[in-house]
Amino acid sequence: MAFGVAVGALFVVERLRPLRALKEPGPSRVGRNLMIGLLGAATTAAGELPVVAPAQRLAEQRRLGLLRSIPLRRLPRVCRFLLGFLLLDYTLYLWHWLNHRVPVLWRFHAVHHLDLDLDSTTGLRFHFGELALAAGFRAAQVLLIGVDRSTLRVWQQMLVLSVVFHHSNLALPIEVEQALQTVFVTPRMHGIHHSTDGDEMNTNYSSLLSWWDNVHGACDAMCRKHRSRSASKAMPSRKT
């Protein structure tokens, strides 16, 4: 309920303060994205019970994962929570990078980039095949990292809100956006990733925390320069 209210409010506000002019401003595109999003949500829910939940139980029963190793499980709970949160977000960064580099993964992920506009509904537009594969990846995260249920739940909730927010067409004051970018991915920052320019599209893979692009040099000088403007928005004819 709260998520729906937040997305609805963002949908309204981004139309009052648009960052970019929409190429397809009518209801057809929004309806299309919502239908893809509903199918994706059903796929995510269907993958949770048979894939992610059993992996969580197995990891708990057999003490699997890095955070359940003897040195780390002795850390205070808050430290394990923070470390688990960071590892979940970092490994998602790697998964996103793979979705652009591995042809079979790109075939599914390209559906997300095919949206010629960029707004909050783009954050819902993911092919159900990509989300089915993501369920398997999430299970691998749980088994390898060893995060507990509460850490996984908090990270997933923040991730979904972040994805909808940074895909939005909301024009924040540049000072506010630059401050947010020190920690979180923002609309201008992620807009570069949806550029028609291949060099720009292959930057800014972060989904929640913005740090990983700097760690990997995936946010170069050109990318940082363009954070202050909106990227050209369209889908290249082929993967670059």
Side-chain angles (χ1 to χ4, degrees):
M1 180 66 178
F3 173 73
V5 171
V7 172
L10 183 59
F11 181 82
V12 172
V13 174
E14 69 182 344
R15 276 151 181 78
L16 298 175
R17 290 183 53 87
L19 178 62
R20 296 164 289 263
L22 296 178
K23 294 180 172 65
E24 190 180 351
S28 297
R29 174 187 155 274
V30 172
R32 212 163 42 237
N33 285 355
L34 291 178
M35 289 301 295
I36 294 173
L38 286 172
L39 182 57
T43 303
T44 299
E48 180 71 24
L49 288 176
V51 180
V52 182
Q56 186 75 64
R57 288 194 297 270
L58 179 65
E60 290 170 351
Q61 292 167 0
R62 301 194 179 182
R63 293 185 175 273
L64 300 176
L66 179 65
L67 296 178
R68 291 190 176 92
S69 62
I70 291 176
L72 294 182
R73 72 186 183 202
R74 292 174 178 169
L75 291 173
R77 181 177 176 81
V78 65
C79 293
R80 285 185 282 116
F81 172 86
L82 292 173
L83 186 55
F85 191 99
L86 291 173
L87 288 172
L88 284 168
D89 206 57
Y90 176 64
T91 49
L92 180 67
Y93 173 91
L94 299 178
W95 174 249
H96 189 184
W97 181 84
L98 285 172
N99 272 267
H100 279 258
R101 300 295 178 175
V102 179
V104 67
L105 296 179
W106 172 253
R107 284 182 179 273
F108 293 117
H109 189 60
V111 170
H112 176 63
H113 282 263
L114 278 167
D115 194 355
L116 295 181
D117 285 313
L118 197 61
D119 69 5
S120 56
T121 68
T122 311
L124 308 174
R125 180 192 170 105
F126 290 93
H127 193 287
F128 70 90
E130 176 179 354
L131 296 175
L133 292 170
F137 179 76
R138 189 77 73 248
Q141 286 179 296
V142 168
L143 291 169
L144 294 174
I145 299 172
V147 291
D148 59 28
R149 295 169 190 263
S150 61
T151 304
L152 181 63
R153 182 173 61 253
V154 170
W155 175 75
Q156 285 182 313
Q157 290 172 345
M158 290 187 65
L159 174 66
V160 171
L161 290 173
S162 174
V163 168
V164 174
F165 167 67
H166 67 238
H167 283 97
S168 75
N169 196 30
L170 178 60
L172 294 170
I174 191 64
E175 296 81 7
V176 172
E177 183 142 357
Q178 287 174 339
L180 286 173
Q181 280 176 17
T182 60
V183 180
F184 300 109
V185 181
T186 62
R188 283 185 177 90
M189 178 180 176
H190 194 72
I192 299 300
H193 180 68
H194 282 260
S195 171
T196 54
D197 183 281
D199 290 334
E200 291 185 341
M201 188 177 70
N202 289 317
T203 60
N204 289 14
Y205 294 105
S206 296
S207 296
L208 174 54
L209 301 175
S210 61
W211 307 329
W212 314 124
D213 289 296
N214 290 321
V215 168
H216 283 276
C219 185
D220 56 22
M222 176 197 70
C223 175
R224 287 191 293 270
K225 173 184 175 183
H226 288 312
R227 279 182 178 180
S228 63
R229 66 158 176 84
S230 56
S232 55
K233 180 66 199 74
M235 175 65 187
S237 59
R238 60 181 176 83
K239 183 174 82 73
T240 54

